[in-house]
Amino acid sequence: MSSNSIEQSELWEISRQLVSFNTVSAYSNVDAAKYLANLLEDSGFVVRLLKETIQDVEKAMVLAWAGPKVPGGLIISGHIDVVPFDSQPGWTSDPLVMHTDGQRIFGRGVSDMKVFLAQAVLAAKRHPLNKLKRPLMYVFTCDEELAGQGAGRLIKALPHLFDTYPLPSVALIGEPTNFDIFPAHKGYAVFDICVRGKGGHSSAPNSGLNSIEKMAEVIQLLQETNNNLQKQASPENAVLFPESPSSVFNCAVINGGLAANMIPEDCRLTVSIRIAPGDQVEEILMQLRERIENDIAKSMKAVGPEYGVFIENMVTAPPMRSPTDSAFCHFLSQVMGKCVDRGAPYATDGGQFQRIGIKSYICGPGLLQEAHQPNESIPVANFFTGLEKIEQIIYEWCILLH
């Protein structure tokens, strides 16, 4: 297909507009959310634009619904925010200007996941809403790239926001999977471990508490915990996540000390954990805190109450596991022509949705290997096939009552 014919399509125009909005999570996404809301409203949906201010930045999420007020509806969901690109080396074009070479389409968010958003709103336009026999709903979130915090805030009110419609029990989340279907994913948490020791001159090491040495003990505890978690991996997770079935900590960023001739007072370690479905991050962290307190911090506090080890700045996104024997999962497998036997290697809003009884399935046109990368791209074939697949899903699930 020629570049000209691609660029003349309505899908191109909607995708181009979405890519042009700088919706990096640190910035406002309101203009992009309004654009999506207007498209859905023009198609006949009832639309709510949910605005909020997070750390002095205005954010917005989009909810839309149509069809009869009966159970069994479908949520189609995606996130509006994207990851940063300003200081990312390797870009050979403006990340906010979508373009194509005829084989691939380039721009920040084309795989993760603005093209899916464009496909979703355009697919809704292709079907008369008065033909719907099940409700069709859209949920477009902000701050997904920040450990799903947008959806985490949304779920507190979501069951009451669709007017008097029954909350659907299934959702399609269009994260980049190259049309593979993931019924599960690990959760994610990130936090800081701060060691506060006692400074002094390096010539008298016993006069202080070396925070870096104490952090080394913390890291050893994390390694021991990883070994224990690995032994506890469930058979189900061994199938879903064969590369790494268990929950696992990762020591990511460390800072401490001021000079070679000073005993370091402070050391800070940023840690992440991937949480396997079935594991409770609260329980894992409680056990870690107890080990840190008993094995490391207790002796430090004996020197002075201001010394010790502290966990700060915790952000979490829960794991997800949806049934593979549900009617919607079987239907989605038929549409995509794919087996459903693996978990996604990343967290999504589906973990938050699961907290209020929504079973999510992760499937979209983007490519995982392109997500978050310079010169992010999506194949032209997936660009158009994705639209056809969503149209088919809406038609067969919400109109034909598959």
Side-chain angles (χ1 to χ4, degrees), residues 7-28:
E7 294 174 16
Q8 289 170 1
S9 67
E10 188 174 12
L11 179 58
W12 174 273
E13 179 57 22
I14 296 173
S15 301
R16 183 194 67 79
Q17 290 274 13
L18 287 173
V19 169
S20 73
F21 295 111
N22 186 349
T23 58
V24 169
S25 304
Y27 306 140
S28 175

Side-chain angles (χ1 to χ4, degrees), residues 2 41 59 119 183 206 213 238 277 301 307 330 350 361 368 373:
S2 70
E41 197 166 47
K59 303 289 182 74
Q119 293 168 342
N206 293 334
E213 291 179 0
K301 289 178 179 177
Y307 309 126
H330 288 311
Y361 298 89
L368 176 58
Q373 299 302 307

Side-chain angles (χ1 to χ4, degrees), residues 42-217:
D42 290 346
S43 294
F45 283 78
V46 178
V47 179
R48 289 191 66 173
L49 188 69
L50 305 176
K51 291 185 180 180
E52 54 185 351
T53 301
I54 307 297
Q55 297 180 346
D56 298 324
V57 178
E58 191 176 33
K59 303 289 182 74
M61 291 184 264
V62 179
L63 271 64
W65 60 94
K69 296 180 180 181
V70 298
L74 171 66
I75 292 173
I76 296 178
S77 183
H79 60 84
I80 304 170
D81 59 322
V82 296
V83 295
F85 53 83
D86 274 345
S87 301
Q88 185 178 33
W91 283 95
T92 57
S93 61
D94 187 336
L96 300 181
V97 178
M98 198 172 82
H99 68 282
T100 182
D101 62 4
Q103 300 297 315
R104 305 181 79 83
I105 295 167
F106 300 87
R108 173 55 89 220
V110 293
S111 264
D112 187 19
M113 54 185 301
K114 288 183 174 180
V115 163
F116 173 80
L117 299 182
Q119 293 168 342
V121 297
L122 185 55
K125 185 179 177 181
R126 300 283 176 90
H127 296 299
L129 298 185
N130 61 3
K131 299 288 187 182
L132 292 172
K133 295 176 184 174
R134 286 177 173 144
L136 174 62
M137 303 178 179
Y138 287 87
V139 177
F140 296 151
T141 63
C142 63
D143 289 354
E144 190 276 344
E145 297 290 4
L146 301 178
Q149 292 183 67
R153 297 188 297 268
L154 177 63
I155 59 170
K156 298 171 185 176
L158 187 59
H160 314 292
L161 290 175
F162 286 123
D163 194 17
T164 57
Y165 281 74
L167 184 69
S169 61
V170 294
L172 171 66
I173 302 179
E175 292 281 0
T177 72
N178 196 23
F179 302 117
D180 286 337
I181 304 162
F182 296 137
H185 64 64
K186 287 186 176 183
Y188 177 75
V190 61
F191 55 92
D192 291 335
I193 298 178
C194 303
V195 176
R196 298 192 179 100
K198 182 180 179 182
H201 198 281
S202 63
S203 63
N206 293 334
S207 66
L209 280 173
N210 190 309
S211 63
I212 292 177
E213 291 179 0
K214 292 298 180 183
M215 187 64 83
E217 296 179 29

